[in-house]
């Protein structure tokens, strides 16, 4: 399964309350439907990552765009670049070396369950959102 040139795929932690909220945030600011979604726990994600052994145990965001895989702060900035509104103004932060950006990202990711909680099962999208998900 590959994404089309005018679409990108976001793999997210489906049991993370913050991550599920972030997906809803993205959908609300992506009216053109550029992003599609699948939880990291899904068979779709496992299939998409089959030829990416270094990413198969990742438990945070992965962006697949134009055949390339982006993680951590780079994924977040590339997503922001494609959102409507002021969020695209975050993209110039990509000039900061990822080693520094990812320190902050890893700190947040390490504490996200404690701060926002963790569900027992992956989020179930609303009927309006279902078409944007690959694993339903």
């Amino acid at each position: 399964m590959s994404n089309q040139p005018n679409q990108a795929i976001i793999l997210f932690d489906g049991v993370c309350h913050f991550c599920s909220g972030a997906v809803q945030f993205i959908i609300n600011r992506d009216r053109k439907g550029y992003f599609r979604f699948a939880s990291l726990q899904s068979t779709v994600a496992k299939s998409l990552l089959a030829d990416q052994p270094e990413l198969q145990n990742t438990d945070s965001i992965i962006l697949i765009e134009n055949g390339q895989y982006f993680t951590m702060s780079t994924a977040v900035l590339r997503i922001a670049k494609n959102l409507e509104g002021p969020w695209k103004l975050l993209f110039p932060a990509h000039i900061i070396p990822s080693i520094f950006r990812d320190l902050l990202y890893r700190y947040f990711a390490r504490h996200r369950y404690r701060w926002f909680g963790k569900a027992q099962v992956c989020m179930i999208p609303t009927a309006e959102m279902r078409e944007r998900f690959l694993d339903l």
Side-chain angles (χ1 to χ4, degrees):
M1 176 178 300
S2 64
N3 56 323
Q4 300 172 4
N6 59 346
Q7 292 183 333
I9 299 170
I10 297 173
L11 304 178
F12 67 100
D13 181 353
V15 297
C16 167
H17 287 302
F18 176 82
C19 304
S20 295
V23 166
Q24 293 174 34
F25 178 89
I26 293 166
I27 288 171
N28 290 334
R29 287 152 186 83
D30 175 33
R31 291 189 189 98
K32 294 179 183 175
Y34 180 66
F35 295 110
R36 296 288 183 251
F37 304 89
S39 71
L40 284 165
Q41 295 82 1
S42 71
T43 55
V44 169
K46 289 175 186 11
S47 173
L48 289 168
L49 298 176
D51 61 345
Q52 303 292 321
E54 70 281 3
L55 297 177
Q56 290 177 6
N57 292 321
T58 299
D59 70 346
S60 60
I61 196 163
I62 298 173
L63 172 66
I64 306 170
E65 189 175 38
N66 300 320
Q68 294 184 285
Y69 292 73
F70 303 96
T71 61
M72 294 192 266
S73 65
T74 302
V76 171
L77 292 174
R78 292 185 72 87
I79 291 166
K81 177 179 80 165
N82 287 287
L83 297 180
E84 296 173 10
W87 306 104
K88 58 183 80 232
L89 298 175
L90 295 173
F91 186 70
H94 81 279
I95 64 171
I96 299 168
S98 63
I99 193 166
F100 299 116
R101 289 185 277 117
D102 288 344
L103 282 172
L104 181 60
Y105 182 93
R106 281 192 295 274
Y107 177 80
F108 184 88
R110 188 171 38 250
H111 294 92
R112 71 186 187 269
Y113 294 145
R114 185 174 352 165
W115 295 339
F116 298 98
K118 181 177 180 181
Q120 297 298 316
V121 294
C122 293
M123 74 174 268
I124 300 186
T126 63
E128 301 84 46
M129 288 185 199
R130 285 180 202 221
E131 68 184 31
R132 303 286 295 274
F133 285 78
L134 300 174
D135 51 351
L136 296 175

